[in-house]
Amino acid sequence: MSAAPVHHPVCVGDDGALRDVAEAIATDWAALGMRGSFLARNLDTGEQLGFGIGELMPLASVVKVPLALVVLDRIATGDLDPATPVVVDPARSSVGPTGLAAFRHPASVAVGDLLLMMLSVSDNAAADTVLDLVPAADVDERLRAWGLGEIRMRHRMNHMYECAAGAAGNDFSLALELALRDERAGRHTIETLDPAYANVGTAAALVELLRRVWCDEVSVPSATAELRRLMGLQVFTQRLASELRTDTLRWSGKTGTFLHLRHEIGVVEAESGDRVAVAALTRADRCAGLAPDVDLAIGVAGREAFEVLRR
């Protein structure tokens, strides 16, 4: 394979010191063969740093955050009852390694607990069951009505795997090779990696979503409070949370992983009162299902940004 073209993302920062941190993070990512977007913003001062913040990126499971907000908004208005049981049948549910997606037998789960499963363990079957109740087109329309139109929800979670299988059969090693080849060539054999058809967002739009959720400036307070609670229950700590775990910090986030995509968004809150929202959206240039050094680089970026942005 030919080498990927050199990519120089545009860095932003409210002063020279912040831009220097953004440039250092971008350089570290490039050295590991990572491309993508990064943005961190202090929710109270508005100061921020990052790079590539306007690039549309397929979101993988990060899209479950805006999905959850729309569903919680429906619950708040009385259109949905969180206690309503829904039967999830593995014979008809979605692919995934966690939660109901890994079940072998039908299970009855309340709507509110489907939201818990899809955010805490990134359960694809739970997310697609929720999308049976609130379709992707309705989620997309609500996001636009809220002024969050740079975040697009176009398809169910299982559609990612259907498209990969359509391009590579059931050989996901081949699907990863195709994703990397297409990344270098600037094309997309796998439709759900194409920003024109995928569930997508920008780092800037995702951080703005987090800001509005944490400041109760979208939907209603009962919905945003519940979304904050659920994001605080995420069990995966290998990315941004890896460098932000102390007794004086609280991390609430959501990862997203598919083929060469490794993402996370969330908010770190300190006992001192500092609140920093972070979005890290990455594409790794390697044929590897596991990339702990990439995960660590995302965590280091989050810690460095938080340290320089806290008051």
Side-chain angles (χ1 to χ4, degrees), residues 100-169:
L100 299 167
F103 279 25
R104 300 176 61 188
H105 307 288
S108 178
V109 184
V111 171
D113 291 329
L114 289 171
L115 296 178
L116 168 67
M117 295 295 285
M118 86 180 191
L119 291 178
S120 64
V121 297
S122 202
D123 183 348
N124 289 333
D128 282 347
T129 301
V130 166
L131 285 166
D132 289 335
L133 305 173
V134 184
D138 292 357
V139 176
D140 199 54
E141 180 181 4
R142 192 63 179 141
L143 292 172
R144 290 197 301 273
W146 282 332
L148 296 166
E150 283 192 327
I151 303 171
R152 301 296 308 275
M153 183 150 207
R154 297 177 169 125
H155 59 76
R156 296 162 65 87
M157 303 308 300
N158 206 50
H159 189 54
M160 297 189 300
Y161 297 92
E162 292 169 342
C163 289

Side-chain angles (χ1 to χ4, degrees), residues 129-281:
T129 301
V130 166
L131 285 166
D132 289 335
L133 305 173
V134 184
D138 292 357
V139 176
D140 199 54
E141 180 181 4
R142 192 63 179 141
L143 292 172
R144 290 197 301 273
W146 282 332
L148 296 166
E150 283 192 327
I151 303 171
R152 301 296 308 275
M153 183 150 207
R154 297 177 169 125
H155 59 76
R156 296 162 65 87
M157 303 308 300
N158 206 50
H159 189 54
M160 297 189 300
Y161 297 92
E162 292 169 342
C163 289
N170 290 321
D171 186 346
F172 275 78
S173 294
L174 175 58
L176 178 55
E177 291 180 10
L178 290 174
L180 295 176
R181 182 201 68 186
D182 291 350
E183 185 75 35
R184 297 184 179 101
R187 63 188 182 194
H188 301 284
T189 305
I190 299 171
E191 182 181 79
T192 46
L193 293 178
D194 186 340
Y197 300 100
N199 296 329
V200 295
T202 66
L206 291 163
V207 165
E208 176 60 14
L209 169 65
L210 293 171
R211 186 195 69 78
R212 293 175 66 180
V213 168
W214 255 255
C215 296
D216 291 327
E217 294 181 8
V218 65
S219 184
V220 295
S222 62
T224 51
E226 179 64 359
L227 182 53
R228 293 193 296 269
R229 185 187 76 85
L230 292 172
M231 290 180 67
L233 298 175
Q234 179 181 232
V235 303
F236 303 120
T237 59
Q238 75 271 27
R239 292 184 188 149
L240 286 168
S242 66
E243 294 280 315
L244 293 169
R245 286 184 291 175
T246 74
D247 290 343
T248 60
L249 299 179
R250 172 180 172 81
W251 173 255
S252 305
K254 181 71 198 76
T255 57
T257 309
F258 182 64
L259 297 175
H260 66 320
L261 305 177
R262 291 174 174 85
H263 307 328
E264 187 164 14
I265 68 170
V267 174
V268 57
E269 301 171 87
E271 286 184 354
S272 62
D274 292 296
R275 303 183 299 170
V276 175
V278 185
L281 309 175

Side-chain angles (χ1 to χ4, degrees), residues 31-49:
L32 288 174
M34 297 165 61
R35 290 184 57 178
S37 309
F38 180 82
L39 181 63
R41 179 187 300 162
N42 185 305
L43 295 182
D44 299 298
T45 69
E47 289 189 315
Q48 65 179 20
L49 65 91

